[in-house]
Amino acid sequence: MSILDTARTQVLEQGIPLTEEQILDVLRLPEDEISGLMELAHEVRLKYCGEEVEVEGIISLKTGGCPEDCHFCSQSGLFESPVRSVWLDIAQLVEAAKQTAKTGATEFCIVAAVKGPDDKLMAQMEEAVAAIHAEVDIEVAASIGTLTPAQVDRLKAAGVHRYNHNLETARSFFPQVVTTHTWEERRETLRLVAEAGLEVCSGGILGMGETLEQRAEFAAQLAELNPHEVPMNFLDPRPGTPFADHEVMDSRDALRAIGAFRLAMPRTMLRFAGGRELTLGDEGAETGLLGGMNALIAGNYLTTLGRPMEQDLDMMDRLNLPIKVLNKFV
């Protein structure tokens, strides 16, 4: 029996995710079976997640000057990068949230390039979330690095409902990507977030030089988190970083990964994130949304340009994919 036949029975009909070994089989599918994979992944997505697409906008509260050495990131202060350190004020964050909400997005994520928040950043986050909730009907997520239990509790009390902290890559490959902190540190923050009752958002970047075996390992490790959301980024090599000369991931491998991640996490929100424009282009993005993805970041990313929000909204309209609406606000 082929892996797609097995996945149809196991995942679509029984709701049982693929194992790491089975994920690897999907990542090795021949090119002529990619369309079949996309069709199956879309069926799984519709059955277990519905047809709605969640749209999110993100903004960087603090950009650049990060003390960590994530080799893909132009915000590291350790590399010769053109990104300069910038802080936004509360009014700018509120205005960005308003503009995001106007597109129909239900999610607004505040990001800071730090190892973890200090008291100043925590206080600014609390003030920002309160100000946004006072003026905008939108959910607020956060991504501000490694947290302590007390900081998790403060963010939850402030009204943050989802926390992003990417594992970035497979545990076995992580030391080739980051040396200033460990995969285990990231995993511990995610444990604290889940225990506090916040929604867990964790994904990473594909195409950083990992093997197919490590890509399968990564998907399986993410699945173990039982995350609410997994952002899928594809490496966009940034000038000045150690990965600046990496080749862009093959679009066919990207589609295989999208299908494999959906079959590994049938009930999880899979979000198109950075690098999709470079790796997949317009046609590939449409294929991904009809191949298992059910969320996207609209507009620009933290340090790279995305597609104009209007183009993404037009694409979803063309594909007859409804945008998720905010049906509750806490």
Side-chain angles (χ1 to χ4, degrees):
M1 182 181 292
S2 74
I3 183 58
L4 292 185
D5 289 336
T6 298
R8 178 169 292 279
T9 300
Q10 179 178 319
V11 184
L12 181 61
E13 297 177 9
Q14 300 175 352
I16 301 172
L18 294 188
T19 64
E20 183 175 333
E21 182 178 354
Q22 291 171 323
I23 296 167
L24 181 57
D25 288 339
V26 172
L27 294 173
R28 289 172 170 164
L29 280 172
E31 184 176 350
D32 61 4
E33 293 191 49
I34 292 177
S35 61
L37 169 63
M38 294 291 96
E39 291 171 8
L40 175 58
H42 189 57
E43 289 183 68
V44 169
R45 182 268 251 224
L46 291 176
K47 180 173 181 178
Y48 293 104
C49 299
E51 63 179 356
E52 291 182 325
V53 176
E54 187 187 89
V55 178
E56 177 183 59
I58 61 174
I59 192 167
S60 184
L61 166 60
K62 176 190 176 294
T63 302
C66 182
E68 304 305 290
D69 74 343
C70 304
H71 291 11
F72 55 82
C73 186
S74 58
Q75 298 201 63
S76 173
L78 304 178
F79 309 142
E80 292 296 326
S81 167
V83 174
R84 292 179 293 177
S85 184
V86 176
W87 281 83
L88 298 184
D89 60 29
I90 303 300
Q92 290 172 305
L93 295 175
V94 172
E95 180 58 29
K98 288 180 179 178
Q99 295 305 314
T100 296
K102 286 181 180 179
T103 70
T106 57
E107 191 80 14
F108 182 70
C109 187
I110 302 173
V111 183
V114 294
K115 178 178 178 61
D118 56 16
D119 285 342
K120 174 188 174 183
L121 179 54
M122 286 298 299
Q124 190 170 13
M125 282 295 302
E126 290 167 329
E127 184 180 353
V129 176
I132 291 168
H133 280 169
E135 297 193 42
V136 190
D137 284 345
I138 199 165
E139 297 275 25
V140 179
S143 181
I144 55 175
T146 301
L147 301 177
T148 66
Q151 289 170 335
V152 173
D153 291 341
R154 285 179 66 179
L155 290 175
K156 182 179 181 180
V160 171
H161 85 117
R162 184 184 300 167
Y163 194 77
N164 166 259
H165 197 53
N166 289 338
L167 286 180
E168 303 299 8
T169 191
R171 185 176 185 176
S172 66
F173 188 62
F174 192 87
Q176 308 303 313
V177 180
V178 185
T179 67
T180 49
H181 62 267
T182 66
W183 186 94
E184 289 77 11
E185 287 179 72
R186 287 183 169 268
R187 182 66 179 81
E188 175 62 13
T189 287
L190 293 167
R191 183 187 68 81
L192 295 174
V193 167
E195 287 187 353
L198 292 172
E199 291 183 358
V200 171
C201 171
S202 185
I205 303 177
L206 302 180
M208 294 192 292
E210 73 279 1
T211 64
L212 290 184
E213 288 82 3
Q214 288 168 326
R215 204 168 289 165
E217 175 195 345
F218 181 38
Q221 288 165 346
L222 286 171
E224 289 177 0
L225 295 173
N226 191 29
H228 182 85
E229 174 188 343
V230 169
M232 293 187 69
N233 299 270
F234 305 96
L235 181 66
D236 183 348
R238 295 286 85 203
T241 68
F243 288 171
D245 295 328
H246 276 35
E247 291 186 6
V248 174
M249 187 176 181
D250 188 283
S251 61
R252 293 161 296 187
D253 286 335
L255 292 176
R256 289 183 183 97
I258 289 169
F261 274 54
R262 170 53 66 202
L263 298 178
M265 294 172 278
R267 297 171 178 82
T268 296
M269 184 187 302
L270 294 185
R271 188 181 299 280
F272 258 143
R276 64 181 168 103
E277 299 81 7
L278 184 65
T279 302
L280 290 165
D282 292 348
E283 184 177 345
E286 292 187 10
T287 302
L289 281 174
L290 295 176
M293 305 297 285
N294 62 330
L296 55 82
I297 294 173
N300 295 330
Y301 305 109
L302 299 177
T303 60
T304 59
L305 296 176
R307 282 158 47 103
M309 285 191 178
E310 294 78 12
Q311 288 187 21
D312 279 331
L313 299 177
D314 288 345
M315 175 178 65
M316 286 184 284
D317 184 61
R318 188 168 60 253
L319 298 176
N320 294 316
L321 293 173
I323 298 175
K324 178 183 176 182
V325 297
L326 189 65
N327 51 27
K328 69 170 185 171
F329 184 73
V330 179

